[in-house]
Amino acid sequence: MTRGRAGDPDHVVELLWREGGAEPRPGLSLDRIVRAGVELADAEGLAGLSMRKVAERLGFTTMSLYRHVPGREQLIDLMCDEVAGETAGGAAAAGDGWRAQLEACARAGWELRRRHPWLAEVRGGRHVPGPNTIARYEQMLSTVADTGLTPAEVIAVVGLVGRFVDSEALLLVEAAETERRSGVSEEEWWGGRETLFERLYGYPTLTRLWEQGGFDRPEDPFEFGLARLLDGIELLVQKRYESRDEIKECVVCGAPVDQPAAGRPRAYCSASCRQRAYRRRTAGQD
């Protein structure tokens, strides 16, 4: 029975990539379970997601679901990958440059979280990715892979953008949940804090910005943050571009290095020197 492998990450990989697993019973399949989970989470958030509720939604017993998916955490992994497929083809054209492409990826992720707010609630680093999630990650990596950034910087840039999108989306989820639970909107709640506002006049900078309308039409947090984030990445790319000509000699043998007109600068004169450097690094880790 599938439930017995609930703690086996490799089994989740098989489910995500649709390899192996039990044969579906008539009227019930893994795809149906995943779609029902997405619909339930869209309506109630992750807090409202349970195997029992998914089973009730499909008209089956809870135990019947365990023949297809080990448990709730594995179902969430499957749901994440299911909706990640909705972002396919969301990037800008390759000719638009790395910034436009990366921005398009970020916006696609933002819109995905607007449609499925529960995505921002999926926390932690031990969620197994599926093919749709990996394809989206590959797409983001490819936007900055040839900018001259180091491999570690490419990974860090994509991770930074992804975390920014998630954090902004999570703020929306938390605000909506607080409003739902209290029955009071954000504007109404702050509008009733007169006793607090009376005490703020002792803070001159805050008061001046308030009186000058700084809080009347605040910047859109996502738009402002994404633009500033891309500005910072662009400065780093420019820095790497300007340092391209500084690498004159192979770091292994000292031979001259011809730098490409575009892309990542070369540190080695040949593939053999690159391999020698790799062997040195791996030997040092032993």
Side-chain angles (χ1 to χ4, degrees):
M1 192 164 135
T2 303
R3 192 179 186 184
R5 301 180 65 183
D8 181 2
D10 289 335
H11 182 47
V12 182
V13 173
E14 294 172 0
L15 293 175
L16 282 161
W17 297 77
R18 299 300 192 267
E19 300 170 357
E23 289 296 322
R25 299 175 63 193
L28 186 62
S29 68
L30 184 59
D31 288 339
R32 284 193 64 196
I33 294 171
V34 173
R35 285 195 295 270
V38 170
E39 292 170 359
L40 183 60
D42 285 347
E44 302 184 26
L46 284 189
L49 178 71
S50 69
M51 298 295 280
R52 177 184 60 80
K53 287 186 177 182
V54 172
E56 290 176 352
R57 196 178 191 92
L58 292 169
F60 286 85
T61 64
T62 304
M63 291 303 295
S64 65
L65 267 62
Y66 290 117
R67 295 182 179 275
H68 303 274
V69 60
R72 181 178 181 274
E73 290 305 308
Q74 293 74 26
L75 176 57
I76 290 173
D77 287 342
L78 290 158
M79 291 161 50
C80 288
D81 198 63
E82 174 74 15
V83 299
E86 299 175 16
T87 63
D96 291 339
W98 71 265
R99 176 164 178 155
Q101 293 180 68
L102 186 58
E103 180 179 349
C105 287
R107 291 189 182 282
W110 177 246
E111 291 305 318
L112 185 66
R113 283 154 182 76
R114 298 292 294 270
R115 294 195 298 273
H116 306 288
W118 54 269
L119 274 174
E121 299 180 80
V122 180
R123 317 303 292 171
R126 294 192 177 184
H127 289 276
V128 181
N132 292 324
T133 304
I134 293 295
R136 182 170 181 270
Y137 188 49
E138 167 74 12
Q139 185 181 41
M140 292 186 72
L141 290 173
S142 68
T143 64
V144 289
D146 296 321
T147 56
L149 299 180
T150 68
E153 287 172 339
V154 170
I155 300 296
V157 161
V158 170
L160 180 63
V161 173
R163 287 190 297 274
F164 166 73
V165 174
D166 274 333
S167 64
E168 288 297 319
L170 186 59
L171 290 175
L172 295 182
V173 171
E174 292 172 343
E177 174 59 22
T178 300
E179 183 172 334
R180 184 195 64 77
R181 196 170 55 245
S182 66
V184 179
S185 71
E186 198 84 348
E187 293 77 11
E188 291 172 334
W189 192 88
W190 282 107
R193 305 280 77 79
E194 289 297 334
T195 55
L196 169 65
F197 299 147
E198 291 172 359
R199 291 168 168 79
L200 298 184
Y201 288 105
Y203 300 87
T205 304
L206 176 61
T207 299
R208 175 169 54 83
L209 292 174
W210 176 277
E211 292 174 345
Q212 291 175 348
F215 293 90
D216 294 343
R217 286 192 293 270
E219 294 277 355
D220 181 292
F222 177 78
E223 295 295 337
F224 182 83
L226 180 59
R228 301 294 75 74
L229 191 60
L230 292 172
D231 286 345
I233 297 170
E234 188 167 10
L235 285 174
L236 180 62
V237 170
Q238 182 63 30
K239 180 179 178 181
R240 293 292 174 267
Y241 179 81
E242 291 173 350
S243 67
R244 180 187 311 279
D245 294 335
E246 295 177 5
I247 303 176
K248 303 290 187 180
E249 299 178 346
C250 177
V251 297
V252 174
C253 69
V257 177
D258 293 327
Q259 295 296 343
R264 188 176 297 112
R266 295 171 182 157
Y268 311 104
C269 65
S270 64
S272 61
C273 279
R274 186 187 306 113
Q275 292 174 357
R276 286 167 61 189
Y278 173 76
R279 287 194 294 269
R280 289 177 184 174
R281 289 197 301 271
T282 54
Q285 294 171 0
D286 294 338

